[in-house]
Amino acid sequence: MTSSTRSTASDTPGSTDASLPVDEVDGIGEAARVRRAEGFDAWLGSLLPSRDGIALVAVGGLGRRQCAPHGDLDLVLLHAGVPGVDELAASLWYPIWDAGVRLDHSVRTLAEALSVAQDDVKVALALLDARFVAGDRALADSLTRTAVDHWRRTAVRRLPALREITESRWRTHGELAFLLEGDLKEAAGGLRDVGLLRAIAAAGITDALRPAVRAAHRRLLDTRDALHQQVGRRVDRLVAQERDGVAGLLGLRQLQLGAADAGQRPGVVVDDGDALLRRIAGDARTVSHALDDAWRAADRLRSGRRRGGDGRPVRRPVARDVVEHDGELVLARTAIGARPDPSLALRIAAAAATTRLPIARATCEWLAAYCPPLPAPWPPAARAALITLLGAGPGLVPAWETCDRYGLIDRWLPEWTRLRSLPQHNPVHRFTLDRHLVQTAYEASRHTRAVDRPDLLLLGAFLHDIGKGLPGEGAAGQVGRHEPAVADHSVVGAPLAEAIAARIGLPEAEATLIGTLVRLHLLLPEVATRRDLSDPKTVAGVAEQVGDPTTLDLLHALVRADAAATGPAAWSDWKGRLVAELVARVRTALDTGALPAPPAPDPALVAGPLPVVHLAEDRVAVAAADRRGLLATVAGCLALHRLEVLSADASTVDGRALVECRVQPRYGLAPDPIALSADLRRAVNGDVSVTQRLRGRALAPRGGGAAPRVVWHREAATDAVLLELRAADAAGLLYRVTCALDEAGAQVRAARISTLGGDVVDAFYLVGGWPSDTDRARLEAAVLAAV
């Protein structure tokens, strides 16, 4: 419905001149939703003449009296075979359409409605919300009573089909708890899943709608109300630009201080979109956890479990103080003593993760109420249980989520309260911070055979981003950064990780190593993608920071685990090859003390007539007569053919200029190799028509976002100065920048391009000594003008 619509349908035959109750559209909360439902009931009742054998039944939001400000109507015109029902339906539907209300409608007899519900489980669920609105109440009551009774008798065998439909929806919409722009209705943990809980509860399978679930449901409904009110139309996906406005309507605000005024002025109160995301994440997790419990209860009821001679479920020991009972883990009777072991909660969590069996709800509640806090340092049993839990593989995440829902994690790690549901405002990340840490530990368990200390790998992976969200934490650190800046999260998190490792009970040397892993966890990917790996200074710098092969192997495994946990955009075969190449070179330096020699140029490029063009799947190599601007020319030709350059190297051998590039298609489709080769040959021979075609396309950078920036690095290369450009990604950016540098008199011998979501960090190796202040300013101006 729309708040501005107040229309009638006087031109529709048989219609009633009744207006939409627009005064009830706005408003957030349960009372407002009920008022909207009552307004619709009265309006719809005025449209339907009183007549036996005809009833108007509401399902969906109106049926539940949970009408959103701009929701639609789901109506069933139920009849007992009376004549003229089609004309009556038209007289009812047309005024609703004329009023601008979205309508989902059907006209059915009682037998037809029940038959459709028997064939379609989604219709069966919808009829559980059926509610009489107008007309023949006895007829409507017959439908609601029969639909509920039929569902109770058939629910157990129909739930598998419903679960299959549900999991397909989850695959499409993702998990609401971890999305920056989630669908409040369709994503896992959203409003649609609360409907499933109602259905399972209606079947008498389990008490699915516990107080925490009902509270989470109300808050999700309030959020959707606020979203409708903020946008002014029906929408269920909370996008970034509406987040702060919705937070303000819900009263979620924070005190924000200016950088120069912190601690001196009261600051301003601003809407807190992050608080909204954290609240949604917590509510979605509550719903998802309850639904997991409900599915398990249904499975037990449908399939049964092994039972002993007395008919009771078999109790099977699985670990010390832990037994399996009816498909769930519970405490052994001997574990419930006068003073429980502080490590008990961790040990049952580890058992749940390794056996992939859920912890019974009653057991979680008992642990939350009676398990004492862990001493510092932790006893060996607790430390061993944590490592077992983190290394359990696929069972880790569900076991951890269960413990988190009952507050057990906060007792183990007080820092977890700050990390829980913390959004990561980067499109590369698919998870909130807490889930990302747990997921990284899970991914690290795949690499435990590749390192000397798998326990330290698991703990380092779990703690690697613990510095995020703290004051002083900035963007990801830059390798060899020339000027001081806000410390990145790896630097901020290192001492925190060391302190946690010490509290867990690790020896001082091992706790220090955990801090090193956290501090350097960005080192390998940043150097591999932004530096010239053939430069001995690059390898020496990494070797000096890493220190020994054991740490190098741990960092290599951590990098791969971190990328896999971040999301598909965080890793690629190209990036993996670069990191592996860097690790191999650093290992040689650490093992022998000698720096590996730079690779020799491709022999095919230094012999034969010019120009030489070699094309491979991800490599383009060109040899031509030595001249300035060849790298820019090649970059422009590649951009013309929609190829992104990932790295570029330019060198001169015996009077030949060599340019070698690693590339990938910008839009997924490889260019025509014949056309690309022909254009490269013409371009390097001086045919300006090729680059003129590129200029004609007006490949402009994307607008918006932070302003581009140039950073200089003085000691990062052996025979060059490094100019680093941080800007928004755009087609042809490398061509424009290399042209600008060439026109400004700089010679580029190598370039490394690192794409981070919609941004790039491009590093250019400029031949020569450290430029004067004037020259640096001139080159910066040229580059920024090109961007």
Side-chain angles (χ1 to χ4, degrees), residues 324-348:
E324 177 191 353
H325 175 78
D326 205 16
E328 296 180 325
L329 295 188
V330 300
L331 294 173
R333 295 182 180 93
T334 55
I336 306 175
R339 182 170 177 79
D341 177 4
S343 67
L344 183 58
L346 265 168
R347 289 192 286 108
I348 196 170

Side-chain angles (χ1 to χ4, degrees), residues 31 60 89 98 117 121 169 180-181 208 229 273 320 329 481 494 497 505 507 545 562 614 696 761 768:
D98 291 343
V121 68
R169 169 170 56 83
L180 288 175
E181 297 187 336
Q229 190 166 317
R320 182 165 69 93
L329 295 188
R481 190 164 180 161
Q545 293 188 68
D562 186 15
H614 284 176
V761 179

Side-chain angles (χ1 to χ4, degrees), residues 655-712:
R656 289 173 174 245
L658 311 181
V659 176
E660 298 181 70
C661 300
R662 293 287 178 180
V663 298
Q664 68 181 12
R666 188 169 189 87
Y667 302 112
L669 297 175
D672 179 0
I674 297 176
L676 174 58
S677 179
D679 278 349
L680 282 169
R681 292 177 184 277
R682 287 198 299 270
V684 300
N685 278 334
D687 185 346
V688 297
S689 64
V690 177
T691 52
Q692 284 176 346
R693 283 159 51 199
L694 180 66
R695 293 176 185 273
R697 284 190 178 178
L699 295 173
R702 291 200 288 259
R709 184 180 176 210
V710 168
V711 178
W712 293 88

Side-chain angles (χ1 to χ4, degrees), residues 254-258 265-270:
Q254 66 173 339
L255 183 66
Q256 187 177 76
L257 300 175
R265 296 185 183 180
V268 295
V269 176
V270 298

Side-chain angles (χ1 to χ4, degrees), residues 121 125 151 158-167 196 295:
V121 68
L125 257 64
W151 173 252
R158 303 189 73 180
L159 282 177
L162 180 60
R163 188 170 188 172
E164 184 176 338
I165 294 170
T166 300
E167 290 175 350
L196 297 179
W295 289 134

Side-chain angles (χ1 to χ4, degrees), residues 1-7 20-27 36 40 68-71 99-101 228-229 231-234:
M1 74 187 95
T2 57
S3 59
S4 59
T5 301
R6 187 187 290 271
S7 59
L20 180 69
V22 295
D23 294 339
E24 304 296 337
V25 167
D26 289 333
R36 283 189 287 268
F40 268 119
H70 297 279
V101 180
H228 283 203
Q229 190 166 317
V231 178
R233 58 184 174 84
R234 179 192 176 188

Side-chain angles (χ1 to χ4, degrees), residues 753-771:
I753 290 79
S754 178
T755 303
L756 306 169
D759 294 328
V760 293
V761 179
D762 293 352
F764 298 90
Y765 285 74
L766 308 183
V767 176
W770 183 249

